[in-house]
Amino acid sequence: MDLTGLQIILETISGVIWGPFVLIPLLLGTGLYLTIRLGGLQFIRLGSALRLGLLTRKDPGSDGDISQFQALTTALAATVGTGNIVGVATAIGIGGPGALFWMWVTGLLGMASKYSEAFLGVRFRTTDAAGEKSGGPQYYLERGIPGPFGKVLALSFAVFAVIACFGIGNMTQGNSIAQNLQSSFDVPTWITGIVLTVFAMVVLVGGIKSIGRVTAGFVPIMIIFYVLGALYILIANVGALPAAVAQIFSEAFTGTSAVGGFAGSAIIIAVQFGVARGIFSNESGMGSAAIAAAAAKTSHPVRQGLVSMTQTFIDTIIVVTCTGLVIVATGTWKQIDPETGEQISPALMTGAAFSHGLPGDWGHIIVTIGLVMFAASTILGWSYYGERNIERLLGRRAVMPFRIVFSLVVFVGCTVQLGVVWAFSDVMNGLMALPNLIGLLILSGLVARETKKYLDNDPKLRASRGEVESFMQGTPGWEEWKTQAIPVAGKR
């Protein structure tokens, strides 16, 4: 079988997994169910969570490897990537402006999923042979769900995550960087490959503490840089914003598609591509962010769960919204360049929108630099996800070889064509999400129970470590979490 045939098969499998009958209803259904069980926590506690994550940033004296803010930026590094630029454009290009509405819905419901998986990541984390915290679905699915079923789910997630990290978190990101730099600035792909490989190796060899320091300084800058460019365009086109917003809401329920000049439109297209690309962008329900959350210095799993929840808000409600509004407000969603009248592909729509909205070459430059920064940060975040799952499967001795191999594979991604890898990565990402979503539903009772107990005593998230110790004494699961002991099977 040639590569073209293999790619077609993988894309067919991906279409089923990410289609309207498997992951889309499971992701939305899980997010809705958790939203109800947690009492709309993502809406009620968002302000306190943003303050804790972005302003307070740390829990002094708490156990962990990195600060709460660094855990947040590491997760943001992994999720704010090409999906925020190319993924949004593709969703709108195929599903019409209404797809952005469904990306919002996915993000808002996904915040409950992101909270739950981050809570569980911290709640069931352990300490590896090097003294570093290790957690995520590869641990909480086994430690939280008694019997062989939990172990099967955990091992399945770990295997799929390791495979996926080399695709969506490595080669595809490197390829995006190399191709964009070659197209925009005539930088040879092999030079980009060498620079990225060295950069990755220098950062990754230092482990999560090194990754945390880099992302804490790098991620806020890249997001602000990109968002300011988008806001300039939206302000310059402020007269078109009301109509753009109205179009997004109205077409979310009519399914008008940009493809084929409105022919053959259906609401399912807007929903399918909005949800699929929304999840691709913010990764809520995939379980990946729980791995970064598990490394955080926090006095209680609820606190880090709420901080991690803000990652989906920042990714979808801020960055994705900026991209989507620029595309709709400038009219490039119709896939016709406003200046030349030429046809443009969905993958190039964001660049065309920014170029139309900013003077000179600034739009093109901002999108290119934004894509480079987003993709480079994704490599760092996903390297840590892969590392923790390798540690789960093969032990601590495999971590350093993994870091070196992961860095070297970046060069491969920069210098080869990756159609098959993109399709394979989509399949692996979907397979990662399945065991995690099943686990979230099974463990939802534990999450809701322990969340309520904590927030009844600290609704504003202002309690000191000593105060947390005081009001949590005698609570089921509290001593277990502090010692990271394997839990006794019981009521979930």
Side-chain angles (χ1 to χ4, degrees), residues 170-171 175 193 197 407-418:
N170 185 319
M171 288 193 286
N175 190 264
T197 299
S407 301
L408 294 175
V409 170
V410 174
F411 181 83
V412 177
C414 290
T415 53
V416 301
Q417 296 300 314
L418 296 176

Side-chain angles (χ1 to χ4, degrees), residues 294-349:
K297 296 177 181 178
T298 185
S299 57
H300 195 279
V302 167
R303 295 170 72 89
Q304 185 55 43
L306 287 167
V307 169
S308 295
M309 177 187 78
T310 66
Q311 174 237 310
T312 298
F313 177 82
I314 294 168
D315 177 277
T316 303
I317 307 303
I318 296 178
V319 182
V320 164
T321 296
C322 284
T323 301
L325 285 178
V326 166
I327 290 172
V328 178
T330 57
T332 52
W333 70 273
K334 299 174 183 176
Q335 300 183 46
I336 301 294
D337 191 297
E339 295 181 358
T340 65
E342 297 178 355
Q343 189 82 14
I344 52 176
S345 70
L348 300 177
M349 277 166 46

Side-chain angles (χ1 to χ4, degrees), residues 177-192 364 368:
I177 294 172
Q179 295 299 322
N180 273 274
L181 288 179
Q182 183 181 53
S183 173
S184 301
F185 306 115
D186 293 322
V187 179
T189 56
W190 66 269
I191 291 180
T192 301
H364 177 70
T368 299

Side-chain angles (χ1 to χ4, degrees), residues 75 78 101 117 220 226 272 337 339 350 359 422-423 440 474:
F101 172 86
E117 59 195 18
Y226 182 78
Q272 179 176 349
D337 191 297
E339 295 181 358
T350 304
W422 271 106
L440 290 181

Side-chain angles (χ1 to χ4, degrees), residues 8-20:
I8 292 173
I9 292 174
L10 289 172
E11 288 175 348
T12 301
I13 296 172
S14 176
V16 173
I17 294 174
W18 288 99

Side-chain angles (χ1 to χ4, degrees), residues 79-113:
T79 55
V80 178
T82 54
N84 295 81
I85 296 178
V86 179
V88 178
T90 302
I92 295 175
I94 298 174
L100 182 58
F101 172 86
W102 294 107
M103 294 185 84
W104 291 337
V105 171
T106 302
L108 292 172
L109 294 178
M111 289 172 71
S113 301

Side-chain angles (χ1 to χ4, degrees), residues 30 34 113 116-117 120 140 285 436-444:
T30 301
L34 290 170
S113 301
S116 299
E117 59 195 18
L120 292 168
Y140 66 66
N436 182 60
L437 290 167
I438 293 169
L440 290 181
L441 292 172
I442 294 173
L443 294 168
S444 60

